């Protein structure tokens, strides 16, 4: 690593796009031209530096967001390459949470695709400034202007062309730079590593002048100084224009558009110039905010090396059995071997090593400061979303919110050797991925995995086999239900038994009554001391609650029930054990007589569908027993909010894609349990 740069020269950016728009290829070219890679890795050969996981190479998609650092001119660019598939949006979420800017990559043939809409909306939520790169200009059917139009129409953004392509498909030979009014032409037309900058060729002069005027008009709408000069027809220098474009990009009023073909190495160097010229440094974005753990006072942290420490862990990876935490430092500095404070756990953690990340290769650092995105080895208990700070100046940075898993599968190990590995492997996965949940089914002994979608769970199973050589049998996706009592019922039991030579006795009478939805399980004792001494009441409550957890109808937990201890009896043989078992027996007696009902999980579903396909999408939701609650139009898209039983939502993503020609997307989260 060369001499430490000034924080104004940092660019912390993400590369985001729909699956297959070519964002990993763009990242690979950036690494090549900035001298980080000596040969160019190709996604289709399974050799991309950033896609280092076996499953990523086999499928040609990005699953985990990889971090890398490179230099361009005087700037230090820290890049996170994020996944494009909807099941891995948590990876995109946590990357956007800590980035200052982003490059949206779009395919010149497909334009804005469904998942580009999803990641774009995520970036809107985190107020991330963006530039756009229209990729694959060499492909048959490439249409630069249609792609820019789709950014305007589908994303409700304000794209401003800073470049025009010279030709398209096989004739794509260069770009016209509308800021400096010159053309960039590739020397070797099959590969664009070398290029020359020259005056605009006569055949492109008219279109260049026309679009230069459109560029000035667009910038004058967001910049008063440019507006004055533009209206009085004064000359506007490139320096003035760059400065105006930069401030409009950072304030998210425009999205500068570049174009090229990453696979043919065309257009990457001008894109790098654009990243440095127009995307913000940590000094250009609002300072990060947090809350004091005790007083809840709002605190602000400026990106200063000598300020108080504020860093956020945005990802944890288990690599070769060791825990590697990825953190963004917003303020202050940390040194290898020093201690940091985790306010959530209220404890200090020691950092054994600080690493500068380059995909899966790394370089050790003595210290890291505000603006850095680093890997940390040595944190034992800190997890994703935790803040690292100093004990004298504690702060909680805003935690990341994750949606609950919506789909479960049962797995069981194939052999005894797999059983021993399974728990360790699942622990690694849950540390890495906050959206994956693991539980045990008490009746069948199977392990239940819950995740964000069918592909999410498929990749987890595949990684088990490939990375950890753990074989499992996989069951079909399942829905989790709940049980309820529908009317008041009484139950009683007498427990009288000798255990290990000692006599035990207890008598318990209880009632169970239904409560309103969502009220949970309540317990009340109406007995006097002469019937049941105070010391046994907790054991009775514990026995009943444990019984309810196992359910009665189908083995699902019983919820929304009021338990009342009505009567009881004791003598000198009584014990906590006797009352706990007696209460459990009384509960079973009540449930045998009770009328019981099943509740199913109801999901809140938000469907984003183009106007033309809204009718089909709504009739499909109705056919699934869904209730549409609201429909809101937004920039050519209808946002349909509905509640639907989860059991009817399997295979929905496929149905929605076919109903909307692949343009509809949806998000789903748990709403409540309701009667089946």
């Amino acid at each position: 690593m060369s001499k430490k740069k000034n924080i104004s020269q940092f660019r912390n950016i993400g590369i985001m796009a729909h699956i297959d728009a070519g964002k990993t290829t763009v990242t690979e070219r950036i690494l090549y031209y900035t001298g980080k890679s000596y040969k160019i890795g190709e996604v289709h050969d399974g050799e991309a530096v950033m896609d280092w996981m076996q499953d990523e190479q086999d499928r040609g998609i990005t699953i985990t967001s990889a971090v890398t650092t490179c230099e361009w001119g005087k700037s230090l660019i820290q890049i996170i390459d994020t996944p494009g598939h909807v099941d891995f949006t948590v990876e995109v979420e946590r990357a956007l949470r800590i980035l200052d800017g982003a490059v949206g990559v779009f395919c010149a043939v497909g334009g804005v695709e469904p998942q580009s809409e999803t990641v774009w909306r995520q970036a809107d939520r985190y107020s991330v400034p963006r530039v756009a790169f229209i990729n694959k200009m060499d492909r048959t059917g490439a249409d630069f202007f249609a792609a820019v139009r789709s950014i305007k129409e589908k994303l409700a953004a304000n794209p401003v062309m800073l470049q025009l392509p010279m030709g398209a498909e096989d004739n794509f030979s260069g770009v016209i730079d509308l800021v400096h009014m010159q053309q960039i032409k590739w020397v070797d037309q099959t590969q664009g590593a070398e290029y020359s900058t020259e005056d605009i060729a006569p055949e492109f002069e008219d279109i260049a002048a026309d679009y230069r005027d459109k560029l000035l008009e667009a910038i004058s709408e967001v910049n008063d100084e440019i507006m004055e000069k533009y209206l009085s027809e004064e000359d506007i220098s490139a320096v003035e224009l760059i400065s105006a474009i930069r401030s409009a990009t950072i304030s998210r009023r425009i999205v500068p558009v570049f174009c090229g073909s990453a696979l043919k190495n065309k257009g990457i160097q001008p894109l790098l110039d654009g990243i440095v010229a127009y995307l913000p440094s940590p000094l250009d974005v609002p300072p990060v905010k947090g809350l004091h753990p005790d007083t809840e006072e709002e605190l602000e942290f400026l990106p200063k090396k000598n300020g108080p420490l504020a860093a956020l862990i945005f990802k944890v990876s288990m690599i070769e059995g060791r825990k590697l935490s990825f953190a963004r430092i917003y303020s202050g500095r940390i040194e290898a071997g020093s201690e940091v404070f985790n306010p959530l756990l209220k404890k200090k953690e020691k950092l054994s090593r600080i690493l500068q990340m380059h995909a899966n290769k790394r370089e050790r650092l003595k210290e890291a400061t505000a603006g850095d995105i680093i890997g940390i080895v040595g944190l034992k208990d800190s997890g994703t979303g935790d803040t690292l700070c100093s004990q004298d100046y504690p702060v909680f940075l805003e935690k990341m919110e994750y949606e609950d898993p919506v789909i479960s599968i049962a797995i069981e190990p194939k052999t005894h050797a797999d059983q021993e590995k399974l728990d360790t492997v699942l622990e690694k996965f849950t540390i890495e991925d906050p959206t994956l949940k693991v539980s045990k089914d008490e009746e069948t002994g199977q392990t239940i995995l819950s995740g964000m979608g069918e592909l999410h769970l498929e990749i987890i199973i595949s990684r088990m086999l490939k990375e950890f050589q753990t074989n499992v049998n996989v069951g079909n996706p399942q829905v989790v239900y709940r049980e309820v009592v529908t009317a008041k019922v009484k139950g009683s039991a007498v427990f009288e038994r000798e255990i290990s030579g000692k006599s035990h006795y207890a008598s318990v009478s209880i009632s169970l009554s239904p409560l309103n939805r969502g009220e949970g399980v309540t317990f009340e004792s109406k007995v006097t001391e002469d019937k049941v001494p105070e010391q046994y009441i907790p054991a009775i409550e514990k026995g009943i609650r444990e019984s309810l957890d196992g359910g009665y109808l189908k083995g699902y937990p019983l919820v929304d029930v009021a338990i009342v201890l009505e009567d009881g009896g004791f003598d000198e043989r009584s014990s906590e054990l006797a009352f706990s078992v007696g209460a459990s027996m009384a509960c079973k007696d009540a449930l045998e007589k009770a009328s019981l009902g099943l509740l199913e999980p109801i999901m809140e579903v938000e469907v984003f569908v183009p106007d033309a396909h809204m009718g089909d999408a709504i009739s499909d939701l109705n056919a699934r027993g869904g209730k549409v609650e609201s429909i809101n139009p937004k920039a050519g898209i209808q946002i349909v909010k509905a509640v639907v039983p989860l059991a009817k939502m399997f295979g929905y993503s496929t149905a929605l894609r076919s109903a909307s020609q692949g343009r509809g997307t949806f998000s789903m989260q748990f709403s409540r349990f309701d009667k089946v």
Side-chain angles (χ1 to χ4, degrees):
M1 185 73 216
S2 65
K3 184 175 153 293
K4 190 77 183 175
K5 298 196 175 301
N6 187 311
I7 195 163
S8 63
Q9 294 166 327
F10 281 42
R11 296 290 179 275
N12 291 330
I13 63 159
I15 297 201
M16 53 184 229
H18 183 84
I19 194 162
D20 265 357
K23 63 192 177 309
T24 298
T25 310
V26 170
T27 313
E28 292 299 324
R29 298 308 183 264
I30 288 175
L31 298 185
Y32 179 69
Y33 289 123
T34 55
K36 270 285 171 186
S37 301
Y38 300 105
K39 93 184 208 331
I40 290 182
E42 298 297 1
V43 174
H44 52 257
D45 296 337
E47 285 185 355
V49 175
M50 298 298 272
D51 283 352
W52 51 275
M53 229 161 79
Q54 180 72 48
D55 264 296
E56 296 178 309
Q57 293 171 0
D58 293 350
R59 294 167 192 256
I61 63 170
T62 302
I63 296 167
T64 59
S65 42
V67 182
T68 197
T69 312
C70 58
E71 293 181 34
W72 184 249
K74 292 180 176 171
S75 294
L76 180 82
I77 303 177
Q78 301 186 99
I79 303 170
I80 296 187
D81 173 26
T82 62
H85 195 284
V86 65
D87 283 11
F88 306 108
T89 46
V90 62
E91 289 284 346
V92 185
E93 280 279 331
R94 52 190 180 185
L96 288 170
R97 167 74 176 79
I98 56 113
L99 291 172
D100 301 326
V103 178
V105 178
F106 300 92
C107 169
V109 183
V112 173
E113 293 162 289
Q115 188 61 14
S116 12
E117 295 183 39
T118 308
V119 293
W120 198 266
R121 280 196 291 271
Q122 286 175 305
D124 282 339
R125 190 154 75 233
Y126 288 107
S127 310
V128 177
R130 279 146 277 177
V131 300
F133 181 70
I134 311 288
N135 190 25
K136 305 197 179 185
M137 280 303 303
D138 57 323
R139 262 186 58 186
T140 308
D143 185 337
F144 174 74
F145 297 104
V148 175
R149 250 195 328 277
S150 74
I151 294 176
K152 192 176 180 70
E153 289 163 9
K154 292 185 184 172
L155 303 178
N158 181 14
V160 174
M161 293 174 248
L162 304 191
Q163 290 181 342
L164 292 180
M166 294 161 68
E169 301 180 357
D170 292 344
N171 304 322
F172 178 54
S173 61
V175 295
I176 292 164
D177 175 350
L178 297 172
V179 175
H180 298 93
M181 284 305 273
Q182 54 195 23
Q183 70 182 27
I184 297 169
K185 211 168 163 87
W186 288 286
V187 177
D188 169 3
Q189 277 310 317
T190 56
Q191 291 289 326
E194 290 177 41
Y195 60 92
S196 61
T197 306
E198 50 204 44
D199 290 339
I200 296 171
E203 68 267 29
F204 289 111
E205 276 176 356
D206 288 351
I207 189 169
D210 187 22
Y211 275 92
R212 161 79 172 191
D213 200 54
K214 287 186 171 151
L215 165 62
L216 293 176
E217 192 181 324
I219 300 304
S220 67
E221 284 173 13
V222 293
N223 186 293
D224 293 345
E225 288 162 28
I226 300 289
M227 162 93 72
E228 277 177 32
K229 289 199 164 190
Y230 175 68
L231 292 176
S232 53
E233 296 183 7
E234 287 177 49
D235 272 350
I236 296 167
S237 72
V239 175
E240 290 174 294
L241 190 53
I242 289 169
S243 165
I245 295 170
R246 179 179 176 80
S247 61
T249 306
I250 291 171
S251 59
R252 295 175 30 254
R253 285 181 293 175
I254 65 164
V255 176
V257 181
F258 299 84
C259 64
S261 160
L263 191 61
K264 297 278 167 61
N265 301 327
K266 295 179 177 181
I268 297 298
Q269 300 94 323
L271 173 65
L272 279 163
D273 291 338
I275 288 169
V276 171
Y278 307 121
L279 287 179
S281 78
L283 299 172
D284 299 313
V285 293
V288 70
K289 290 184 167 68
L291 293 178
H292 192 286
D294 305 324
T295 63
E296 297 209 347
E297 167 200 359
E298 191 173 80
L299 306 168
E300 252 188 14
F301 290 82
L302 293 165
K304 287 182 178 168
K305 177 180 173 174
N306 51 11
L309 176 64
L312 183 80
I313 300 172
F314 65 94
K315 180 182 159 111
V316 173
S317 275
M318 301 298 287
I319 297 176
E320 295 151 15
R322 302 196 65 175
K323 185 169 164 183
L324 176 64
S325 309
F326 292 86
R328 157 83 194 253
I329 305 177
Y330 288 100
S331 162
R333 57 194 272 276
I334 51 181
E335 289 175 21
S338 64
E339 282 190 333
V340 289
F341 183 66
N342 180 329
L344 184 71
L345 306 174
K346 295 191 166 44
K347 65 183 284 190
K348 285 186 168 182
E349 290 251 56
K350 190 170 176 148
L351 319 170
S352 52
R353 274 188 268 160
I354 301 174
L355 304 168
Q356 180 152 49
M357 303 307 299
H358 174 50
N360 62 333
K361 300 182 184 66
R362 30 193 129 41
E363 181 186 330
R364 290 174 78 156
L365 299 174
K366 284 200 174 73
E367 69 159 20
T369 58
D372 280 328
I373 296 176
I374 51 165
I376 299 173
V377 179
L379 298 177
K380 284 196 179 69
D381 303 311
S382 299
T384 301
D386 286 1
T387 303
L388 301 178
C389 56
S390 72
Q391 199 164 355
D392 309 335
Y393 209 98
V395 63
F396 279 134
L397 296 179
E398 186 191 349
K399 269 191 92 70
M400 290 182 253
E401 295 293 325
Y402 304 114
E403 287 171 9
D404 288 329
V406 292
I407 182 168
S408 298
I409 52 171
I411 59 169
E412 50 191 29
K414 285 193 174 169
T415 67
H416 185 62
D418 293 323
Q419 172 69 62
E420 289 174 356
K421 282 191 212 162
L422 187 61
D423 293 342
T424 322
V425 171
L426 288 176
E427 189 186 358
K428 284 181 177 163
F429 284 149
T430 48
I431 288 172
E432 281 189 11
D433 182 351
T435 59
L436 180 73
K437 300 277 186 280
V438 178
S439 58
K440 273 269 193 295
D441 183 322
E442 295 303 328
E443 284 205 350
T444 62
Q446 290 173 312
T447 301
I448 309 293
L449 287 189
S450 310
M452 300 307 289
E454 290 168 57
L455 180 67
H456 184 197
L457 295 177
E458 197 184 303
I459 297 271
I460 293 288
I461 300 297
S462 171
R463 284 185 63 194
M464 271 184 200
L465 182 61
K466 288 179 186 153
E467 285 177 47
F468 301 99
Q469 288 76 49
T470 309
N471 288 292
V472 289
N473 293 321
V474 181
N476 289 329
Q478 295 295 325
V479 172
V480 187
Y481 293 90
R482 294 282 184 270
E483 298 180 13
V484 284
V485 294
T486 56
K488 184 172 177 176
V489 64
K490 293 191 172 185
S492 58
V494 175
F495 178 74
E496 198 165 7
R497 196 174 301 168
E498 194 172 291
I499 302 171
S500 326
K502 189 170 186 289
S503 288
H504 293 266
Y505 170 83
S507 164
V508 180
S509 294
I510 63 165
S511 68
L512 302 177
S513 314
L515 288 174
N516 293 329
R517 259 336 123 257
E519 286 189 15
V521 178
T522 64
F523 176 83
E524 182 194 352
S525 166
K526 287 189 173 168
V527 296
T528 49
E529 273 275 326
D530 58 327
K531 295 281 181 76
V532 180
E534 187 70 32
Q535 75 220 51
Y536 296 131
I537 303 291
I540 291 174
E541 183 179 353
K542 182 169 177 271
I544 299 172
R545 283 184 183 271
E546 282 174 1
S547 285
L548 295 178
D549 276 351
Y552 186 77
L553 268 185
K554 304 259 171 133
Y556 295 110
L558 241 119
V559 294
D560 300 337
V561 60
I563 311 160
V564 178
L565 176 58
E566 304 276 5
D567 200 0
F570 76 103
D571 63 18
E572 68 283 350
R573 296 169 294 165
S574 292
S575 63
E576 285 190 8
L577 172 71
F579 273 108
S580 180
V581 178
S584 177
M585 288 162 61
C587 186
K588 189 165 183 259
D589 178 51
L591 292 175
E592 279 171 356
K593 296 183 272 187
S595 67
L596 296 168
L598 268 188
L599 301 182
E600 64 179 341
I602 305 292
M603 310 303 284
E604 265 176 41
V605 182
E606 200 171 24
V607 185
F608 299 87
V609 66
D611 297 348
H613 305 293
M614 189 175 79
D616 294 345
I618 287 179
S619 61
D620 181 54
L621 285 172
N622 291 336
R624 291 169 189 273
K627 280 196 193 120
V628 174
E629 296 192 323
S630 70
I631 301 170
N632 298 309
K634 181 188 172 187
I637 284 181
Q638 299 288 339
I639 303 172
V640 181
K641 289 189 176 173
V643 287
V644 191
L646 174 59
K648 300 282 174 60
M649 287 300 285
F650 289 124
Y652 182 64
S653 53
T654 316
L656 178 62
R657 277 178 204 139
S658 58
S660 63
Q661 294 175 1
R663 288 182 55 204
T665 61
F666 76 102
S667 68
M668 173 160 84
Q669 61 187 29
F670 174 75
S671 164
R672 61 180 189 277
F673 278 97
D674 221 329
K675 280 220 175 85
V676 170

